[in-house]
Amino acid sequence: MSPHCVHDAGRPRIALLGDSHASALAASLSHMADQAGFDFVQFTKSSCPPLLGTTRLMPSHPGHAAQCALYNDRAFAAVMRDPRIQTVVLAGYWAAPFAPDAGGDAYTDPRDRTNHGVATSLARLDGAVRTTTQVLARAHRHVIILGDVPQFRFDPAREAVTAFMPVRQRVAHVLDPSFLTAGDIAPVLLLSVPGQPIADTVRHAAADTADVTYFSLADGLCSPAGCKFRMGNDPFYVDQQHLSRGGADFLLARIDGLIPVTGDNVARIATQPPIPTAPIPLSVATQVAIH
């Protein structure tokens, strides 16, 4: 909250809370907020979902659950103390504890810090989203929840570099003949998208509280043909799951109504053209997995 980190022009503020996935959106969101007439503050901690009463258990980092819970208590308290914060954006890697490589991670009670299984973890996520949004809504904050971004079974940043190095590209595809993208689109077989139950849990929990808006980030990059991971030579990701600045700019610009209206200078980007893809026949199950 020091002047070195917060641009303070005395205007209403938008606050971003979340983990490293939220942090990847921060520069783009800050720019959009400034253009729309808002100041911007950021509260992000790696692997720490923005939830009250629930934390992320990470057995490989034994102290993390307690640190995350304490951090969120302080971050939300700072938001509640600041009357200039009118809009709160909650973003994170919601599906993280359920990923195949999660290694026993779970959503859990900060006082218990025990993994009681997937069903209990999913129920805690549901309850925590409801509790967190209700607390903010009762404090007269408009809440925006951003869903998970699509993830990939390859490194989009490395592939973007390989794409304009012909020899390297040829060698890479000889080593892995199955790897094939349709230009800037990674097809279904190269996706590692968040599970639909997790996305539905967050969406439905958010829908039960007034003045809460949910946006699916995956919908901004994906179509039935797959998910966009670059624009020409510019990668949308810095690794398999974190957006680059270019990716965040592209994605957030496609969300109509993300920034509240304060005047004619608001950038509303619903007029952007759709993702240029050529749909391919997919099963219903696969389409559900993408969206």
Side-chain angles (χ1 to χ4, degrees), residues 114-140:
T114 301
N115 187 345
H116 294 286
V118 172
T120 300
S121 184
L122 198 59
R124 285 212 66 89
L125 173 62
D126 177 87
V129 172
R130 295 173 192 273
T131 297
T132 304
T133 54
Q134 288 167 8
V135 167
L136 292 169
R138 284 198 296 267
H140 308 291

Side-chain angles (χ1 to χ4, degrees), residues 155-164 229-230 232-235:
D155 186 335
R158 184 168 58 188
E159 177 59 20
V161 172
T162 300
F164 59 87
F229 67 95
R230 68 186 178 198
N233 293 333
D234 298 325

Side-chain angles (χ1 to χ4, degrees), residues 11-260:
R11 302 175 294 182
R13 285 175 164 171
I14 293 176
L16 172 67
L17 285 81
D19 57 15
S20 62
H21 283 215
S23 183
L25 299 167
S28 180
L29 188 59
S30 175
H31 176 73
M32 292 178 67
D34 180 61
Q35 294 297 303
F38 291 91
D39 287 340
F40 178 83
V41 290
Q42 175 185 346
F43 300 93
T44 53
K45 177 176 173 60
S46 180
S47 299
C48 186
L51 299 169
L52 290 170
T54 292
T55 189
R56 180 177 169 185
L57 176 71
M58 301 180 69
S60 58
H61 301 278
H64 176 77
Q67 293 168 3
C68 175
L70 177 61
Y71 179 84
N72 275 330
D73 285 346
R74 292 175 174 174
F76 278 95
V79 168
M80 303 295 271
R81 285 195 303 266
D82 189 345
R84 288 168 51 199
I85 295 178
Q86 301 178 349
T87 298
V88 179
V89 180
L90 305 179
Y93 183 7
W94 306 106
F98 309 100
D101 59 351
D105 291 13
Y107 288 109
T108 187
D109 186 324
R111 298 162 297 182
D112 180 8
R113 301 202 288 277
T114 301
N115 187 345
H116 294 286
V118 172
T120 300
S121 184
L122 198 59
R124 285 212 66 89
L125 173 62
D126 177 87
V129 172
R130 295 173 192 273
T131 297
T132 304
T133 54
Q134 288 167 8
V135 167
L136 292 169
R138 284 198 296 267
H140 308 291
R141 270 45 171 201
H142 173 58
V143 183
I144 294 171
I145 296 184
L146 302 180
D148 285 328
V149 295
Q151 297 180 40
F152 303 89
R153 301 185 189 280
F154 65 98
D155 186 335
R158 184 168 58 188
E159 177 59 20
V161 172
T162 300
F164 59 87
M165 300 172 67
V167 174
R168 179 170 172 175
Q169 184 179 41
R170 210 169 298 126
V171 171
H173 290 177
V174 167
L175 293 174
D176 185 6
S178 66
F179 183 88
L180 182 64
T181 63
D184 297 345
I185 306 297
V188 176
L189 293 177
L190 296 179
L191 300 182
S192 178
V193 294
Q196 192 63 26
I198 292 89
D200 286 344
T201 294
V202 177
R203 179 187 292 107
H204 294 156
D208 282 350
T209 303
D211 206 24
V212 177
T213 306
Y214 175 88
F215 292 107
S216 169
L217 294 185
D219 286 351
L221 291 175
C222 300
S223 78
C227 295
K228 193 173 183 67
F229 67 95
R230 68 186 178 198
M231 180 75 79
N233 293 333
D234 298 325
F236 281 179
Y237 285 72
V238 298
D239 55 25
Q240 292 173 289
Q241 56 176 263
H242 292 92
L243 290 170
S244 66
R245 173 63 190 271
D249 285 346
F250 176 89
L251 181 54
L252 296 185
R254 303 181 71 84
I255 302 177
D256 184 32
L258 175 60
I259 301 296

